Amino acid sequence: MFNRALGPVRPYDVDSELFEISYVQCGDPGVERKIEQKINILCNWVEKHPGKRVTVLLSFYEKRFKQIWFSKQEERLYWEQWRIHFDIVRPPSSDPDHLRVVRHVALEAAVREAVLEVLTLVGHKKEHIPPVVSSDTVCFPYEITLPSAMESHFGLDMFKRVVLNSSPPAMLS
């Protein structure tokens, strides 16, 4: 989130609790609280669905308002989306300690590689980022979509798109 922060932020380094990796947070309590809530929801989902593949969607968007029939509707124009895939594997508790260490080292290397790839991409690809129109916000508007939210809203989102993107019916004469 730090790489998509706007205006005055108070970044600080955070050391991972699991790995020898540090990362930067933007220092906004609201952003950090929202991310922590989503992480907790994701952890609960993983506990209920062990061994499944999980996809988290991080979307940045721009708010616009458009006239629909007799009211104004907020429209989200997504300009960047990150699909983050996690394969959840629970090793058997009977595994020897040296095998656990080998898995931990491999996982740490994979996480480090993924973080470096993200940092490289966000550092080089900036031409699609919309102009900043307000200094009131710390971060571009964003949403984090988790598996349970994707499953429960999919049908509603499709219905909403059909209704919002269709023309009003022609009057019979």
Side-chain angles (χ1 to χ4, degrees), residues 70-85:
F70 301 109
S71 64
K72 284 191 176 187
Q73 179 76 31
E74 180 183 296
E75 181 181 40
R76 292 183 175 184
L77 299 173
Y78 294 94
W79 50 268
E80 186 171 281
Q81 291 188 317
W82 292 83
R83 287 181 190 346
I84 307 162
H85 304 288

Side-chain angles (χ1 to χ4, degrees), residues 15-22 103-105 107-109 111-112:
D15 294 323
S16 169
E17 295 175 16
L18 297 175
F19 306 117
E20 293 294 320
I21 296 175
S22 295
R103 282 191 181 127
H104 184 82
V105 168
L107 182 57
E108 181 175 335
V111 169
R112 181 176 281 116

